[in-house]
Amino acid sequence: MFKRKNNEKLDIELVNDSVNLLNKILHIMFILIGIVGIYLIIKLCQELQIKNIVLTTLKTIAPVFIGLFFAWLFDPIVKKLKEKGIRRVIGALIVYIVFILLLVLIIATILPILTNQINDFVKIIPEIYNSIKNWIENLFSNINIEGLDISVYQTNILAKIQEWGTNLASSLPNLTVNILRSFFSGFLAFVIGLIIGFYFLVSFDNAGDLLITLLPKKIRKEAKELTSEINSTFRRFINGALIDSTFVFIITTITFMIIGLKAPVLFGLFCGLTNIIPYAGPYIGGAPAVIVGFSQSPLTGIFTLVAIAIIQFIEGNFLQPMIMSKTTKLHPVTIITGLLIFGHFFGIIGMAISTPLIGACKAIFIFLNEKHNFINL
């Protein structure tokens, strides 16, 4: 089979092609096995109701994770200060003071604007309802199909809209109380997390080495290399996502102000926050702004829709590839598949964490493959 026609030598090219094809098949099989394995683990967790137990536990100890996150985030800065002769405790204190001052400055600048625009948005909810109602009435009045009674559909749709408006008005006070309760609860967890994070940050320098020493000596070196690679993957992803989302927030807010959309800072902030979610985020963030835009006037709605489309085109095709090119380096199909799986089981939070988790899994696989050569990639 692998010999040339003269039966003298092996057909090296054919052998190489066969080996490459086998490697690709094995590669695909490993990916499929990994996907099926993740799916089975998630289904098992659902059957055992582990998700609820884990979520409750995570909610209880959330300040610890917040503290670990800030310690991990600020550690490189403190290390730089330490290299310049500043003690780690002093360096951590300097970083925290600067961070808190910046946080207070941002809140003092944005919060009054955001509060006013939330109030303005609440006030225009009846206008949105009336605009949607009038638009539907005009739409049905222009539809004239012989033998079809349109009025029945019009009555049912208007009844549903009125029911929605009534429910929204009646639930708004409770919704406001729940939002405030969640805000203060989250704020308290954030403050406690900052305090815990300071203590973690002071002793964060030797934490990784201490954990590595708990492992057997023969795998310590490999474990240190692997954790360093995963750490770099997460850090690059978060840095890129923050820069990307900040850009979207600023440019979207300015554009909404120029268009004349009501509550531009509110909707710009929402677009920036949801932009962390790859692919689906821009649509989630842009939908409320477009709805409010059309409630103001058809022209404002069209301008809002076009502005979001242009911003997302620039961000998705130029800015994000430039920022993320050196982060997880995942194929778009892999990212979309991860979003679908994690989004199905864990909602928006799952979609937000899917990309860095898949990136970490990829880093682990590549690291182990380089050490043990499972697949010739």
Side-chain angles (χ1 to χ4, degrees), residues 161-288:
I161 293 174
Q162 186 174 3
E163 181 183 353
W164 171 79
T166 304
N167 291 336
L168 181 63
S170 61
S171 62
L172 197 58
N174 291 332
L175 181 63
T176 304
V177 171
N178 290 333
I179 290 174
L180 290 174
R181 186 185 295 117
S182 299
F183 172 78
F184 285 112
S185 175
F187 181 75
L188 180 62
F190 179 78
V191 172
I192 296 173
L194 278 179
I195 297 171
I196 294 173
F198 178 79
Y199 290 104
F200 277 140
L201 187 59
V202 170
S203 57
F204 208 72
D205 195 23
N206 300 319
D209 294 335
L210 180 62
L211 292 174
I212 293 295
T213 56
L214 299 177
L215 299 174
K217 288 185 178 181
K218 61 180 180 179
I219 64 170
R220 285 179 187 175
K221 184 178 178 181
E222 292 186 356
K224 192 170 183 177
E225 293 176 3
L226 179 58
T227 52
S228 176
E229 180 61 30
I230 294 173
N231 180 56
S232 298
T233 300
F234 278 122
R235 194 175 295 281
R236 290 195 301 265
F237 174 82
I238 289 176
N239 291 339
L242 288 175
I243 295 171
D244 193 31
S245 296
T246 302
F247 167 82
V248 171
F249 163 61
I250 293 172
I251 197 68
T252 304
T253 301
I254 293 172
T255 306
F256 287 167
M257 287 179 177
I258 295 171
I259 291 171
L261 183 72
K262 294 181 179 179
V265 177
L266 176 64
F267 290 118
L269 180 62
F270 188 62
C271 287
L273 291 174
T274 55
N275 196 72
I276 296 173
I277 305 171
Y279 294 97
Y283 302 102
I284 297 172

Side-chain angles (χ1 to χ4, degrees), residues 28-29 53 64 84 92 111 135 171 183 198 291 296 334 341:
I28 294 171
M29 287 179 62
I53 298 172
V64 177
K84 295 183 178 182
L111 189 60
W135 181 78
S171 62
F183 172 78
F198 178 79
I291 293 171
Q296 290 182 224
T334 306
I341 295 174

Side-chain angles (χ1 to χ4, degrees), residues 71-344:
W72 172 78
L73 191 66
F74 295 145
D75 182 56
I77 305 174
V78 176
K79 282 183 177 178
K80 292 286 184 182
L81 295 175
K82 187 178 179 181
E83 290 173 1
K84 295 183 178 182
I86 300 174
R87 290 176 57 194
R88 189 168 181 87
V89 177
I90 305 299
L93 193 60
I94 292 172
V95 170
Y96 255 69
I97 290 173
V98 173
F99 172 72
I100 292 171
L101 288 176
L102 287 174
L103 193 63
V104 170
L105 180 62
I106 293 171
I107 292 174
T109 304
I110 295 179
L111 189 60
I113 301 172
L114 206 57
T115 303
N116 292 331
Q117 296 199 349
I118 290 173
N119 291 331
D120 293 339
F121 178 67
V122 171
K123 290 177 183 177
I124 66 172
I125 289 177
E127 296 180 19
I128 297 174
Y129 166 74
N130 291 328
S131 297
I132 295 174
K133 181 180 177 182
N134 294 332
W135 181 78
I136 291 174
E137 289 177 346
N138 292 331
L139 177 65
F140 277 98
S141 65
N142 294 325
I143 297 176
N144 187 12
I145 302 176
E146 187 177 351
L148 181 63
D149 187 7
I150 301 295
S151 60
V152 177
Y153 299 99
Q154 180 180 354
T155 303
N156 290 335
I157 292 175
L158 291 176
K160 288 290 184 183
I161 293 174
Q162 186 174 3
E163 181 183 353
W164 171 79
T166 304
N167 291 336
L168 181 63
S170 61
S171 62
L172 197 58
N174 291 332
L175 181 63
T176 304
V177 171
N178 290 333
I179 290 174
L180 290 174
R181 186 185 295 117
S182 299
F183 172 78
F184 285 112
S185 175
F187 181 75
L188 180 62
F190 179 78
V191 172
I192 296 173
L194 278 179
I195 297 171
I196 294 173
F198 178 79
Y199 290 104
F200 277 140
L201 187 59
V202 170
S203 57
F204 208 72
D205 195 23
N206 300 319
D209 294 335
L210 180 62
L211 292 174
I212 293 295
T213 56
L214 299 177
L215 299 174
K217 288 185 178 181
K218 61 180 180 179
I219 64 170
R220 285 179 187 175
K221 184 178 178 181
E222 292 186 356
K224 192 170 183 177
E225 293 176 3
L226 179 58
T227 52
S228 176
E229 180 61 30
I230 294 173
N231 180 56
S232 298
T233 300
F234 278 122
R235 194 175 295 281
R236 290 195 301 265
F237 174 82
I238 289 176
N239 291 339
L242 288 175
I243 295 171
D244 193 31
S245 296
T246 302
F247 167 82
V248 171
F249 163 61
I250 293 172
I251 197 68
T252 304
T253 301
I254 293 172
T255 306
F256 287 167
M257 287 179 177
I258 295 171
I259 291 171
L261 183 72
K262 294 181 179 179
V265 177
L266 176 64
F267 290 118
L269 180 62
F270 188 62
C271 287
L273 291 174
T274 55
N275 196 72
I276 296 173
I277 305 171
Y279 294 97
Y283 302 102
I284 297 172
V290 173
I291 293 171
V292 173
F294 275 106
S295 72
Q296 290 182 224
S297 70
L299 192 61
T300 303
I302 292 171
F303 280 155
T304 305
L305 183 62
V306 171
I308 291 174
I310 293 173
I311 291 170
Q312 291 304 326
F313 175 79
I314 295 172
E315 186 271 340
N317 292 281
F318 298 100
L319 183 68
Q320 192 180 58
M322 182 177 67
I323 294 174
M324 297 294 185
S325 61
K326 295 182 180 180
T327 57
T328 55
K329 297 181 181 180
L330 294 172
H331 193 279
V333 175
T334 306
I335 295 176
I336 293 172
T337 304
L339 288 171
L340 292 173
I341 295 174
F342 281 83
H344 174 73

Side-chain angles (χ1 to χ4, degrees), residues 16-30 374-377:
N16 289 335
D17 290 340
S18 301
V19 172
N20 290 333
L21 178 61
L22 182 61
N23 282 332
K24 290 178 181 179
I25 294 173
L26 289 173
H27 189 193
I28 294 171
M29 287 179 62
F30 271 108
F374 299 127
I375 307 174
N376 184 11
L377 296 177

